[in-house]
Amino acid sequence: VRIRMQLLSDAIFGNGMSVPGGEDLSVLTDEYGFPYYKGGTFKGVFREALEQYLFWTVPKGEQKQSQIRAGADALLGKEGNDAAENPRQLVFSDFQLSDHVKQCMLAEADTDSAGCQQEILDSLTHLRTFTRLTEDGIAKEGSLRSLRCVNKGLSFYSEVSCSGSDAQLLTEVFSGIRWIGTMRNRGFGKIRITTVE
């Protein structure tokens, strides 16, 4: 199943790295500077949404929690154990821009230039600065932070390997996923996920 993740707000696909003197948190990029979102990270977001979905759809009873856990494990494997053989286990590829968009941008960029990667990154992302305020409404000293955000409106695509009988369940769980990435509680990373025929 091919899925599309459209950014309805700026998003932060943090890579845990900083650029000294420039960015306190950078985004994940490939060798050309194109941002992407890890499939393994999305799998954790999907697990959370799946468990919520099962909480509301599994009938009440003494075994409800164990049924929810068993349902999640059947599709995603046991946490910390991805190696188990399971024909129903979902595998998510990384979310990336479409190949067409990448090819068009690479055709326009000077790929021999040392700044090509930064040029591509700057065209798809931007820096946002934040600061903490004191109780008096004054910027707290030393609290200025710069984070790189992926631009609102971009679409990223992933391939999900799943059995045909689970396709409808996937669609229903995807509709419950609304936020991804860093600083979701501050309005970053609002998304819409749809399946692509």
Side-chain angles (χ1 to χ4, degrees):
V1 175
R2 183 169 167 81
I3 59 175
R4 174 184 183 227
M5 176 174 69
Q6 182 182 10
L7 300 186
L8 303 180
S9 70
D10 294 340
I12 303 172
F13 301 161
N15 65 359
M17 308 280 285
S18 63
V19 177
E23 301 169 19
D24 292 295
L25 183 62
S26 294
V27 297
L28 286 166
T29 60
D30 65 13
E31 67 271 22
Y32 298 107
F34 293 109
Y36 70 96
Y37 189 73
K38 283 188 176 179
T41 303
F42 182 77
K43 182 178 176 183
V45 173
F46 183 85
R47 177 180 285 276
E48 184 180 312
L50 175 62
E51 288 176 353
Q52 289 176 353
Y53 174 83
L54 294 173
F55 177 82
W56 292 107
T57 57
V58 170
K60 291 182 180 178
E62 294 177 14
Q63 303 297 318
K64 183 169 183 161
Q65 286 301 330
S66 61
Q67 288 177 331
I68 291 170
R69 172 69 62 190
D73 289 348
L75 288 175
L76 299 169
K78 294 188 177 186
E79 290 185 62
N81 182 14
D82 288 339
E85 289 295 321
N86 178 358
R88 282 187 70 199
Q89 188 163 325
L90 303 177
V91 178
F92 296 93
S93 69
D94 292 340
F95 282 83
Q96 300 188 33
L97 294 167
S98 72
D99 289 337
H100 178 71
V101 168
K102 286 182 177 181
Q103 289 168 4
C104 289
M105 290 186 74
L106 287 171
E108 291 294 317
D110 180 7
T111 53
D112 295 330
S113 157
C116 175
Q117 184 179 17
Q118 189 64 44
E119 182 183 333
I120 289 173
L121 180 63
D122 287 343
S123 68
L124 299 167
T125 66
H126 63 279
L127 284 177
R128 295 274 297 263
T129 54
F130 303 87
T131 191
R132 178 173 289 157
L133 299 178
T134 64
E135 291 178 8
D136 300 332
I138 301 169
K140 185 175 180 181
E141 189 173 333
S143 68
L144 183 64
R145 300 284 180 263
S146 293
L147 306 178
R148 186 160 290 277
C149 302
V150 181
N151 294 341
K152 168 185 173 180
L154 294 176
S155 292
F156 293 82
Y157 298 87
S158 174
E159 297 285 338
V160 184
S161 62
C162 70
S163 69
S165 60
D166 293 324
Q168 181 61 35
L169 173 63
L170 256 66
T171 302
E172 292 173 10
V173 175
F174 289 151
S175 69
I177 299 174
R178 300 274 189 241
W179 304 92
I180 58 148
T182 305
M183 296 183 70
R184 292 180 279 184
N185 59 341
R186 294 198 179 177
F188 290 89
K190 186 172 185 181
I191 60 167
R192 176 185 302 122
I193 297 182
T194 53
T195 55
V196 179
E197 295 299 327

